[in-house]
Amino acid sequence: MSANTFPFRPPGPGTPVSNPSAESSATATYDHELFIRKAFEQDARQGCEQLFRLYFAPLCSHAVRFVYNRQVAEDLVADLFYHFYADRQYERVTGSYRAYLYQAVRNRAFNFIRWELGRQGTDEPDVNEPDQESGQPDQLLLQDELYQTLERAVQELSPQRQRIFIMSRFDGKSYKEIAGELALSPKTVENHLLRALSSVRAALRRSNLLGLIVILLAALR
């Protein structure tokens, strides 16, 4: 992704960011969608920027539940918005922008997991955008199973290892920062994190989700 061609940036520290997941009524979400559609009628770039500011943070929080790495999650979401704008994918959205973006980021998270666990000779994980014409119930079921498997794998870690894992993958803290907060050496933190990642990957392999992900994504191409 080129910094010179990507027109949007994540909101900086202190910048208010709307979070649709915190809205208490469907009316508010509808109002957001209506406002954004009107923005697209005026200027596609303005519409994309409104979507970016509204959904970047919530989409990152959603993606990190699958990839367990905040930096990876932010990269996936930023790349999604880049292609959404550069490839004019917004022209294909006939339903909810929110539903489209959440499904798209889950697809990217799936591809990343397949690439991360399988390492099947590709330089980068493939990208699949959601198909609005089909509900893809098998894919939704698989996503739910993946989420539940990851949650169980993290819950099964020892309390200290779980805390280190969450501080690293969710909060994006460095080994040094975690070591300072927990009064541990950076090497000890690194060892805990490596073993936690190994446990999570082993849980995915035991559940056979990796094979299901590969088969499903191949069928969607």
Side-chain angles (χ1 to χ4, degrees), residues 29-48:
T29 301
Y30 175 80
D31 288 343
H32 283 315
E33 293 277 332
L34 184 61
F35 177 78
I36 291 170
R37 287 200 177 277
K38 289 183 178 179
F40 269 105
E41 291 174 3
Q42 301 286 332
D43 177 17
R45 174 170 174 154
Q46 181 183 357
C48 286

Side-chain angles (χ1 to χ4, degrees), residues 39-172:
F40 269 105
E41 291 174 3
Q42 301 286 332
D43 177 17
R45 174 170 174 154
Q46 181 183 357
C48 286
E49 186 167 0
Q50 291 291 339
L51 281 175
F52 185 84
R53 295 185 64 82
L54 183 64
Y55 289 121
F56 179 83
L59 284 171
C60 288
S61 296
H62 188 63
V64 81
R65 305 300 296 184
F66 292 94
V67 299
Y68 278 96
N69 185 315
R70 181 157 295 279
Q71 185 59 58
V72 169
E74 290 179 357
D75 288 345
L76 289 175
V77 176
D79 189 65
L80 166 62
F81 274 104
Y82 168 73
H83 286 285
F84 187 79
Y85 177 74
D87 300 340
R88 304 174 69 90
Q89 291 170 4
Y90 51 84
E91 294 180 348
R92 303 201 299 268
V93 180
T94 57
S96 164
Y97 287 114
R98 182 181 185 277
Y100 181 95
L101 292 170
Y102 270 81
Q103 184 61 56
V105 83
R106 284 194 293 270
N107 287 353
R108 287 168 181 269
F110 264 39
N111 275 303
F112 177 82
I113 292 170
R114 182 191 63 173
W115 174 78
E116 173 72 13
L117 295 179
R119 303 287 183 175
Q120 298 179 342
T122 56
D123 293 330
E124 295 287 344
D126 295 329
V127 173
N128 284 296
E129 302 305 337
D131 180 357
Q132 295 194 102
E133 299 304 320
S134 65
Q136 299 176 356
D138 290 342
Q139 186 179 20
L140 295 176
L141 183 63
L142 180 57
Q143 288 170 351
D144 183 65
E145 186 178 352
L146 172 64
Y147 175 80
Q148 296 297 331
T149 299
L150 289 170
E151 285 287 296
R152 286 194 300 269
V154 174
Q155 291 300 319
E156 289 172 0
L157 297 173
S158 67
Q160 186 178 49
R161 192 163 294 169
Q162 182 182 133
R163 185 178 182 186
I164 290 172
F165 185 79
I166 290 173
M167 290 173 73
S168 171
R169 312 307 267 191
F170 280 79
D171 300 334

Side-chain angles (χ1 to χ4, degrees), residues 185-192:
S185 70
K187 188 62 178 179
T188 298
V189 170
E190 180 182 6
N191 288 336
H192 274 296

Side-chain angles (χ1 to χ4, degrees), residues 173-194:
K173 294 184 177 180
S174 67
Y175 293 165
K176 184 176 180 180
E177 289 172 326
I178 297 172
E181 289 188 33
L182 301 183
L184 299 170
S185 70
K187 188 62 178 179
T188 298
V189 170
E190 180 182 6
N191 288 336
H192 274 296
L193 184 57
L194 289 174

